[in-house]
Amino acid sequence: MAKKPENLSFEQSLSELETIAAHLEQGEVSLDDALKQFERGINLVRQSQTKLEQAQQKVSILLNENDAELAPFTVEAE
């Protein structure tokens, strides 16, 4: 049985979405199966969007935590 979308990592969700899209693009799927896969894909997309939004919020919090201005990173020649 497939894991619930909320229990998958972002990368696992993306991989499963790619598999679903490839399977649906082949066009050899019954209507009922296609609808089930489409529904699964929508749930995966929603959970992935939530995870991306949470990551974006964390980055924003970290950048604004000290209200310090960040300096560009430069690599010194060896």
Side-chain angles (χ1 to χ4, degrees):
M1 181 173 191
K3 288 184 177 181
K4 292 182 178 182
E6 57 270 12
N7 294 335
L8 296 174
S9 70
F10 178 79
E11 291 78 11
Q12 289 170 323
S13 294
L14 188 59
S15 176
E16 188 172 342
L17 278 168
E18 290 172 347
T19 301
I20 289 171
H23 195 233
L24 290 174
E25 285 175 352
Q26 291 176 354
E28 299 174 5
V29 183
S30 70
L31 180 59
D32 287 337
D33 192 33
L35 286 172
K36 286 178 187 175
Q37 289 186 29
F38 180 76
E39 182 179 7
R40 173 78 175 166
I42 293 297
N43 288 331
L44 288 166
V45 167
R46 287 182 179 149
Q47 284 299 317
S48 296
Q49 285 177 323
T50 299
K51 288 176 184 174
L52 284 174
E53 288 169 1
Q54 290 171 347
Q56 185 178 20
Q57 287 174 348
K58 286 180 184 178
V59 169
S60 181
I61 289 168
L62 290 171
L63 290 175
N64 293 323
E65 206 166 67
N66 296 325
D67 281 336
E69 192 170 317
L70 299 176
F73 178 75
T74 57
V75 178
E76 295 180 16
E78 291 181 24

